């Protein structure tokens, strides 16, 4: 099974994903803070996916992809090239089904993340730190083992899995007016947009993007996918270029992008740590940074705020 | 009303406290971690009081004390001498009843904590940084205003309030075998011991104390209150000497004390941050440090672990 599967999921696929991952994924809590409400002038409902298995929302998509396979497909395992939260999530998800997870890891990847992927039971495949080498190695593993490729975001099953987060959040926090997620490759933003609008077409959708990796904002503005950007941001989880179908979802669902500086993001990260008492990674703080930067757009609204991950190197905090 | 009120509360007073504070206090969540379970060999149920109002369990006791007052008493406000979490909690609790909170603050107290107390609406009274000056200033304020003294731990109402945490935890996590709290002045440990044993007399109770402030452990060992210790620990929340009645509660309820080094505590703090993704203060990590130090005493048991607070200076982390 090597055909590309990156069409947008519909709400039924997202509901199916929710049922499929329910035995394995956590229902993550929603936290609030009177201080952050006062600072923003809005009512903020923080959806805590850093408390998801593996410390990131990525487990939802990976788990859906793994359990969507037929037994015959699953027997060959899964493969991806991601040295970050998706690689870890796929390893954890594969373990829930007892199948092999092959993870292609470029030389120079963050040691702590690679160790976590190995602890989760993945088979590591090292390669040179280029996109071409990663894809070649993944294709080689795929050809040799028959493992199914699970792309981090340009994958229908992955988008559907990430969308389950919105179903959950809209049940936990009734009457939201708006919803904001970080935007990297767009797997989360697209899945969430589809799920959220299926439930409430009037919901205002926002995406937060680092100024140093604002390809999605530029792509939406220019009406075509901008792929010439060289990411320069401390938000390591948001450096991926947005996928073609992911971008299409943002356009269809009128997701408004807000770009934030790394300094704004780090300040917001400290607020989340000190006020919500939650250890979240820097990419997760872009959403609060966007809300505080564009106070007048959010003031008076009930806003769902997706916290994406909490895998932080405590020895190298960005302040 | 200036008489000393430091007799031990009974379970009825603790149940009354639970009803009294319910409109104001949060039901804090219980978190778990597969990694920390594996490390300890036990099943750990972390009771997250750093997510309580004011970022610490102290709000429970302060709130009970404030709402236990008659209207005539309350009209004069409350007073305490604490520049830490209790001062902040009393200010927040007084605000829920719309009465004055006087907080005596010694020169040299941590600026961030003093600012938080001020933000919470307290009237600050500065004094020299000695125990005698603090008590004299508190007595002066009490005499002048008629405010009711609310001691941080040697106070029946405060102990009863802290005990409500155990009622809540034992409902949230059924079938616990053991329970561990940090021990400073002993308000928490005594309230929790009384509440927990009223519900399940077979529960094993533990207290964690810094080696550099091990007056409770020495007091229990010697059968009398040891007051000659000069605290030397980074656990700023656990430097107080244990109160007379608090010690009595530990003795009656056979609370076993475990002393931990600051290095063990800091290592445990990092584990809580990275695995539970929770920002907890250093004093809160003594409990996990004790469990990991005495692995064989906890392995195989279901242990309630009380996380006491999350008020941390992010600019001055102890690693």
């Amino acid at each position: 099974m090597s055909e590309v599967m990156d069409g947008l999921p519909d709400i039924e696929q997202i509901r199916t994903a929710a049922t499929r991952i329910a035995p394995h994924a956590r229902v993550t809590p929603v936290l609030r803070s009177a201080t952050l409400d006062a600072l923003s002038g809005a009512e903020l409902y923080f959806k805590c996916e850093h408390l998801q298995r593996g410390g990131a929302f990525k487990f939802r998509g990976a788990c859906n992809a793994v359990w969507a396979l037929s037994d015959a497909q699953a027997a060959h395992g899964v493969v991806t090239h991601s040295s970050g939260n998706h690689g870890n999530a796929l390893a954890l998800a594969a373990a829930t089904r007892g199948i092999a997870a092959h993870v292609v890891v470029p030389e120079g990847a963050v040691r702590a993340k690679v160790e976590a992927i190995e602890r989760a039971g993945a088979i590591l495949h090292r390669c040179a730190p280029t996109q071409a080498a990663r894809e070649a190695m993944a294709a080689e593993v795929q050809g040799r083992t028959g493992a199914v490729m699970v792309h981090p975001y340009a994958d229908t099953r992955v988008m559907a899995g990430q969308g389950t987060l919105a179903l959950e959040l809209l049940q936990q926090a009734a009457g939201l007016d708006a919803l904001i997620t970080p935007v990297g490759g767009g797997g989360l933003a697209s899945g969430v947009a589809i799920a959220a609008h299926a439930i409430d077409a009037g919901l205002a959708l926002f995406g937060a993007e680092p100024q140093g990796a604002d390809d999605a904002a530029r792509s939406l503005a220019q009406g075509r996918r901008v792929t010439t950007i060289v990411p320069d941001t401390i938000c390591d989880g948001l450096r991926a270029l947005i996928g073609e179908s992911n971008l299409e979802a943002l356009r269809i669902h009128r997701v408004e992008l807000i770009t934030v500086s790394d300094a704004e993001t780090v300040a917001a990260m400290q607020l989340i740590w000190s006020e919500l008492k939650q250890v979240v990674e820097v990419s997760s703080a872009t959403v609060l940074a966007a809300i505080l930067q564009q106070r007048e757009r959010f003031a008076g609204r009930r806003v769902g705020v997706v916290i994406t991950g909490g895998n932080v190197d405590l020895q190298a905090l960005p302040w």
Side-chain angles (χ1 to χ4, degrees), chain A:
Chain A
M1 200 178 123
S2 61
E3 75 267 34
V4 177
M5 283 188 53
D6 69 345
L8 294 177
D10 60 24
I11 183 66
E12 284 317 314
Q13 288 171 293
I14 296 172
R15 290 196 197 281
T16 301
T19 306
R20 198 179 269 145
I21 72 175
H24 312 290
R26 294 194 189 127
V27 175
T28 55
V30 173
L31 291 181
R32 307 204 50 201
S33 156
T35 305
L36 296 181
D37 280 3
L39 262 178
S40 64
E43 284 181 38
L44 306 181
Y45 296 80
F46 293 92
K47 177 66 170 163
C48 292
E49 285 295 304
H50 64 296
L51 303 179
Q52 187 51 266
R53 277 181 78 168
F57 73 93
K58 296 279 190 182
F59 182 76
R60 294 176 182 269
C63 190
N64 186 48
V66 160
W67 285 95
L69 300 176
S70 69
D71 285 348
Q73 291 171 323
H76 301 288
V78 286
V79 58
T80 197
H81 47 84
S82 158
S83 52
N85 288 332
H86 174 68
N88 188 37
L90 190 64
L92 289 171
T96 66
R97 197 165 175 180
I99 65 175
H102 301 273
V103 179
V104 175
V105 173
E107 302 294 341
V110 179
R111 205 167 59 95
K113 295 213 169 181
V114 175
E115 286 173 359
I117 294 172
E118 202 159 19
R119 264 202 311 278
I123 301 153
L124 299 188
H125 303 269
R126 311 257 176 193
C127 71
T130 68
Q131 186 65 20
R134 288 164 66 156
E135 289 176 4
M137 177 64 90
E140 193 272 315
V141 172
Q142 217 179 338
R144 181 160 49 79
T145 63
V148 177
M149 171 60 102
V150 180
H151 190 276
Y153 49 88
D155 183 303
T156 310
R157 304 158 299 195
V158 169
M159 287 185 263
Q162 321 302 32
T164 63
L165 177 164
L167 299 184
E168 215 172 274
L169 171 56
L170 292 175
Q171 274 204 326
Q172 292 168 306
L176 292 185
D177 303 311
L179 217 155
I180 184 166
T181 71
V183 175
L188 172 67
S190 54
V192 162
I194 294 164
H197 270 176
I199 291 172
D200 178 358
L203 211 59
L205 299 176
F206 296 90
E209 208 176 24
Q211 281 168 6
D214 63 347
D215 58 295
R218 290 190 197 214
S219 299
L220 280 179
Q222 299 184 21
R224 57 174 190 78
R225 189 155 166 262
V226 173
T227 57
T228 50
I229 285 174
V230 179
D232 178 18
T233 171
I234 55 166
C235 299
D236 57 296
L238 303 177
R239 289 183 192 138
L241 295 176
I242 190 150
E244 192 73 52
S245 57
N246 309 95
L247 178 64
E248 183 62 6
L250 301 200
R251 199 189 55 70
I252 293 170
H253 291 280
R254 301 172 308 285
V255 177
E256 295 181 59
L257 290 200
I258 298 166
T259 58
V260 291
S261 71
D262 282 356
E264 289 172 315
T265 298
V266 170
M269 181 178 174
Q270 289 178 274
L271 280 173
I272 294 171
W273 285 45
S274 59
E275 298 303 330
L276 277 187
K277 319 279 183 212
Q278 300 300 299
V279 172
V280 306
E281 53 192 78
V282 62
S283 301
S284 296
T286 52
V287 283
L288 180 61
I291 289 168
L292 295 176
Q293 183 203 81
Q294 305 274 314
R295 209 176 172 284
E296 71 291 346
R297 285 166 91 175
F298 293 95
R301 298 173 107 169
R302 292 162 65 88
V303 187
V305 184
V306 179
I307 298 292
T308 45
N311 294 322
V312 174
D313 182 351
L314 293 178
Q315 313 306 325
L317 298 177
W319 59 77

